[in-house]
Amino acid sequence: MNTVHVETPGGAYPIHIGAGRLGLLAQSIPADATAVALVTNPTVGGLYAAGVEKTLAEAGHRVLRIDLPDGEEHKDWQTLNLIFDALLQNRFDRKAVLVALGGGVIGDMVGFAAACYMRGVRFVQVPTTLLAQVDSSVGGKTAVNHPLGKNMIGAFYQPDAVEIDVDVLKTLPQREIAAGLAEVIKYGMIIDAPFFDWCEQNVDALRALEHNAITYAIRRSCELKAYVVSQDERESGLRAILNFGHTFGHAIEAGLGYGQWLHGEAVGCGMIQAAELSAAVLGLPRGSVERIRSLVRAIGCPDAPPDLGVERWLDLMQVDKKTEGGQLRFVLLPEIGRAVCQPAPDEAVREVLQRTVSA
Amino acid sequence: MNTVHVETPGGAYPIHIGAGRLGLLAQSIPADATAVALVTNPTVGGLYAAGVEKTLAEAGHRVLRIDLPDGEEHKDWQTLNLIFDALLQNRFDRKAVLVALGGGVIGDMVGFAAACYMRGVRFVQVPTTLLAQVDSSVGGKTAVNHPLGKNMIGAFYQPDAVEIDVDVLKTLPQREIAAGLAEVIKYGMIIDAPFFDWCEQNVDALRALEHNAITYAIRRSCELKAYVVSQDERESGLRAILNFGHTFGHAIEAGLGYGQWLHGEAVGCGMIQAAELSAAVLGLPRGSVERIRSLVRAIGCPDAPPDLGVERWLDLMQVDKKTEGGQLRFVLLPEIGRAVCQPAPDEAVREVLQRTVSA
């Protein structure tokens, strides 16, 4: 078992990474919990909820299972309210603990529910997708979507613990593995060039979920994200670099309708566009752009962005929350392993959109 | 002008109290605000919004006015969403500032909207009722109601500043003055016996809104609440004493339907019940109970709780978030000026309910 320690002004907590962690979940539930709500979806719940319920009940906890409908299109206030309804109907008090068993959608919603229920209760993240394990379960960002924008309503709220069981990846569709690897390779691009090299060299082992390779990739990703988040919990500075590829990626998701592309797929493709923009604005070498494009392809993500029309692209990126005072800001790479956040000239953005979208 | 400084782990901010503060509001808007949303309701907005908009516009701010429907029955997620819709439609970014111009309902909703919009933007409280001036604008509690309980969904989130203009009280109905004075006298009961004495002696001047009396009462109330909140931002200990009368009061509001009694009226009546329970459990002298009853009457609040039936009363108090592990806890007074938080025996609670409700 590997443990990564995350420290932020909003709280410190451990991330446990290993095989068989689901069976040890009770260790991460605070002893004074008055009840535990196990929030999941039918897909993940069908595979793992019964075992987790049994583990928690054997440890003496009163457990309520709450199933939410599956998918990004349900990441909204209406679904969030299903959690509040169940907690209030079952008289969960301020010392209850929520457990998020599922992917990023479940994690974001349960985290936000924990942030808001009675103005804040404790929660434990049990991410079951690779994407959630290396990204959304670290750093305390929680949210739901609004019809006018993704993750527009949310909170910074830290979990009590994160439990990452690498065994659950075996039941994950290949497409979701690829989407998760997109975030893994992102850390190499923005902050750790040797890790980028390592990912290039181990891409086949990663896609095959070879135990040592995938465990190291998760641990290194969590360490890198934890480092960034500890420097900047509320995204006023350094943390923005984690959004590399996301301004383009969010536009893909919003433009096609949430749920068409997986979030990681959209980010993977968006990183190629952001690399192209980095070449145009900061002179990122063409060879580096092509290495990024090749690695995105090699992990199994799509590399051709959808043709939404340039004006629509710009419009979708405007509403993204990384704009300030109306000026479009991007995370760009001067070189692989280093990222900066800055505005980009409109014509450069248009040129990249025209070129990548028609490619 | 008087200033009270509030310090909490979540942030420090000033409360400015005086005549004509509305006209000086621009002083409290951060200089780097990209836009200002002035959120109000038709009643308060009709009286004061045009002037405030003019003041802010003259200071160079882009101002968007958002009117919410009036009343506690609209303090829900649907109404909150009207704020999010307007902010997103008008492309408000993370450096926008929200201004809450209204009573406690507006303050709680705008504060919660500020806590959640893009995971947190800045806001300024401009409370226009006496109740909001002495209570909900101090301490960072924000929330909306859920059909199963009041203030169940919310956040601890501190404003950047609070602006209290005593002039606006002149347009307030007498019933709302009484409801606000209920919270004022509460501070005397729980933490400041000399202030309780002062309120008894100045009750006529307070009801008549005599300038020096009402300004001192607001300032002293804010100081006392700020002291309590600074000791305990997240209500794990001392802060609970601020809920004196609230467990009974919330049951009145929920039992009759929100909006039938004003919150302050329900708390005023609830404080008499809590005083009776204090006599039964802690031996608060009968003379003190009668002083509390007399002062609640003298400020103009109802002193007879509605007959909801004892079982319904107990049920309504159970769902209140001050329960822990199913045990009913109350804020009780060993003497006027000192409060403790502790469980009360069921039979004592029943006896008080039977006696006060049939009175």
Side-chain angles (χ1 to χ4, degrees), chain A residues 34 77 81 84-85 88-89 91 93-95 112 115-119 141-143 146 148 151-156 234-235 315 318 321 323-325, chain B residues 34 77 81 84-85 88-89 91 93-95 112 115-119 141-143 146 148 151-156 234-235 315 318 321 323-325:
Chain A
T34 49
W77 178 261
N81 247 326
F84 297 140
D85 292 346
L88 285 166
Q89 280 156 8
R91 304 211 158 163
D93 65 22
R94 287 181 169 176
K95 293 201 167 168
F112 189 40
C116 297
Y117 185 66
M118 295 186 176
R119 300 198 185 93
K141 275 190 176 185
T142 72
H146 181 280
L148 292 177
N151 293 325
M152 286 292 150
I153 314 300
F156 288 96
R234 296 185 74 86
E235 203 165 27
D315 202 51
Q318 285 279 355
K321 63 195 167 302
T323 63
E324 271 181 27
Chain B
T34 49
W77 178 261
N81 246 327
F84 298 140
D85 292 347
L88 285 165
Q89 280 156 7
R91 304 211 157 163
D93 65 23
R94 287 180 167 178
K95 294 202 168 170
F112 189 41
C116 297
Y117 185 66
M118 294 186 177
R119 300 196 186 93
K141 275 190 174 183
T142 72
H146 182 281
L148 293 177
N151 293 326
M152 285 293 151
I153 313 301
F156 288 96
R234 296 184 74 85
E235 203 164 30
D315 203 52
Q318 285 280 355
K321 63 198 167 301
T323 64
E324 271 182 27

Side-chain angles (χ1 to χ4, degrees), chain B residues 96-181:
Chain B
V97 173
L98 310 192
V99 173
L101 177 68
V105 172
I106 289 287
D108 280 11
M109 282 200 293
V110 176
F112 189 41
C116 297
Y117 185 66
M118 294 186 177
R119 300 196 186 93
V121 295
R122 295 166 295 180
F123 83 113
V124 174
Q125 290 273 25
V126 188
T128 59
T129 65
L130 180 57
L131 179 66
Q133 290 178 348
V134 299
D135 178 30
S136 56
S137 70
V138 189
K141 275 190 174 183
T142 72
V144 293
N145 297 329
H146 182 281
L148 293 177
K150 195 171 150 66
N151 293 326
M152 285 293 151
I153 313 301
F156 288 96
Y157 197 72
Q158 307 296 339
D160 269 51
V162 179
E163 287 287 352
I164 296 181
D165 189 334
V166 295
D167 290 342
V168 302
L169 298 178
K170 294 170 188 163
T171 56
L172 209 61
Q174 187 61 43
R175 198 177 153 197
E176 297 218 29
I177 299 293
L181 290 175

